[in-house]
Amino acid sequence: MKRESLKGEKSPDKHADKHAADKQPAGEQPSAEAAFASYAAPLVDRAIEYAGAVREDASPEALHQLRVSLRRLRSLWWAFEPRLDKGENTRQRALYKYLATAAGKTRDWDILIELMTQNDTGAQAMAPKLEEIRSGALATSRETLSNADVKHLLRDALSSAAKELNTAHERVPLSKFADQRVAVSERSLRKRMKRASRAKRSNYTSFHDVRKAGKRLRYLLEFFGPVLHDSHKRTLKLLKQIQKRFGTLNDIVASEMLLRDNVALLAGSGDIEAALQWFRKERKRRMRSAAGLLRKL
């Protein structure tokens, strides 16, 4: 069972992330509008592939990779927001979030089970019930994704966005566009880090906002890295630190909440209060650790 905050979020296929800019003849500068499809199409294909895999594969990995692909799509559409119709862009990003949430409902149980198993918090006694609930969540995820017709939804979203960009009168050089969008994302991350550093320790939302902003910036650097004018090695090092520490915190907080919300379903299957106590202690420890990182950055 893997998850980005437990072992780092890896690209499902390293060879599929080659960008349009890499394929341009020397000296030629593609426009952002012309390059869009070469970024988006592989992500759409990958999301469709994993959505299909979820129908047959009950393992955590297929769900994880589907959610990663959808998050990357959402970040790409955010990057191209200035070049797309605002209303349509908002709807398409909401679609990716909806599908990722559908996959995430089962993934959340996977993370809870893994954390309890790794830290001896009563998972063995609760295992039958936890697996039963997880199976129910998987059935719901599969039904939601099947009813949504992921393949056609994503193909239509890609076609609509590509058509709009290809018919736009104005063209922006890809490298200029990439520099601008990465800069906006960096400012957003720094703003959220500053806000979180001043927030009360109990204000988890501000920490969660840092994690989301960091994840989006990392995706943009992965998309546009070859065409950016400046080196972002220092930023990538920062993002790696945030991903590790804030991702682990998110796992703990989300799992504690999930366990607390399902106490009734797990009644009689083990010492739930002991598990909740462990999560409370671990949450406080991880919050201190995340706050400590912000003070150093």
Side-chain angles (χ1 to χ4, degrees):
M1 185 180 305
K2 310 296 181 187
R3 194 181 189 202
E4 61 272 26
S5 53
L6 293 178
K7 194 180 177 182
E9 188 173 281
K10 299 180 180 179
S11 170
D13 183 354
K14 295 180 181 178
H15 301 292
D17 287 331
K18 297 297 183 182
H19 302 319
D22 296 323
K23 301 176 183 178
Q24 294 297 317
E28 290 192 16
Q29 174 58 258
S31 69
E33 291 77 10
F36 169 78
S38 63
Y39 288 105
L43 295 178
V44 167
D45 290 343
R46 193 172 303 147
I48 291 172
E49 176 186 351
Y50 284 116
V54 167
R55 291 196 297 267
E56 308 295 333
D57 185 0
S59 73
E61 188 63 15
L63 287 161
H64 167 58
Q65 297 296 359
L66 172 59
R67 189 158 63 166
V68 170
S69 297
L70 291 165
R71 284 173 173 170
R72 288 167 62 86
L73 277 170
R74 193 161 182 251
S75 295
L76 183 64
W77 256 253
W78 178 90
F80 279 85
E81 183 178 25
R83 314 301 303 158
L84 293 166
D85 175 78
K86 184 176 181 180
E88 183 63 17
N89 181 274
T90 299
R91 285 190 291 273
Q92 289 179 355
R93 287 174 60 206
L95 166 65
Y96 303 143
K97 184 177 182 179
Y98 168 76
L99 295 175
T101 299
K105 290 184 183 301
T106 305
R107 281 293 301 152
D108 290 343
W109 282 104
D110 290 331
I111 297 304
L112 170 62
I113 293 170
E114 180 174 7
L115 285 170
M116 291 182 65
T117 300
Q118 287 179 346
N119 298 282
D120 193 23
T121 55
Q124 186 172 357
M126 297 184 201
K129 193 63 179 179
L130 287 170
E131 289 298 336
E132 178 185 336
I133 297 173
R134 194 263 183 190
S135 295
L138 176 60
T140 300
S141 293
R142 282 172 165 170
E143 182 179 8
T144 301
L145 294 169
S146 177
N147 291 340
D149 194 359
V150 174
K151 180 177 180 178
H152 288 96
L153 279 176
L154 297 188
R155 294 275 187 223
D156 288 348
L158 172 59
S159 176
S160 175
K163 180 179 180 180
E164 182 181 353
L165 290 167
N166 287 331
T167 56
H169 296 296
E170 183 183 358
R171 290 287 188 270
V172 179
L174 175 59
S175 58
K176 178 182 178 180
F177 172 82
D179 285 337
Q180 290 174 341
R181 295 309 285 162
V182 166
V184 170
S185 187
E186 285 182 321
R187 287 196 295 272
S188 175
L189 173 59
R190 289 293 180 182
K191 182 178 179 180
R192 294 184 183 192
M193 288 172 62
K194 185 176 181 179
R195 186 183 303 150
S197 68
R198 296 175 176 176
K200 293 182 179 180
R201 197 65 57 81
S202 59
N203 183 3
Y204 171 67
T205 299
S206 63
F207 286 80
H208 187 52
D209 287 343
V210 170
R211 175 177 171 268
K212 291 191 296 183
K215 191 179 294 291
R216 182 171 63 195
L217 176 56
R218 181 167 62 87
Y219 289 152
L220 262 61
L221 291 175
E222 290 174 358
F223 294 146
F224 301 131
V227 300
L228 295 173
H229 285 107
D230 298 325
S231 171
H232 290 268
K233 290 183 179 179
R234 184 177 179 181
T235 301
L236 287 168
K237 183 178 179 180
L238 164 68
L239 293 175
K240 185 177 181 180
Q241 291 176 297
I242 290 175
Q243 175 182 312
K244 182 177 180 180
R245 202 164 299 191
F246 284 71
T248 304
L249 169 62
N250 181 71
D251 287 340
I252 296 295
V253 172
S255 294
E256 180 189 3
M257 186 180 302
L258 185 62
L259 185 60
R260 192 180 301 281
D261 290 345
N262 289 275
V263 167
L265 288 176
L266 291 164
S269 61
D271 192 343
I272 300 174
E273 184 52 44
L276 286 170
Q277 184 178 4
W278 179 86
F279 276 110
R280 283 194 295 269
K281 290 181 179 179
E282 192 66 10
R283 167 170 45 85
K284 292 178 181 179
R285 186 172 77 86
R286 296 293 181 178
M287 288 284 281
R288 288 194 298 270
S289 178
L293 177 61
L294 287 176
R295 288 193 296 269
K296 295 178 181 178
L297 299 177

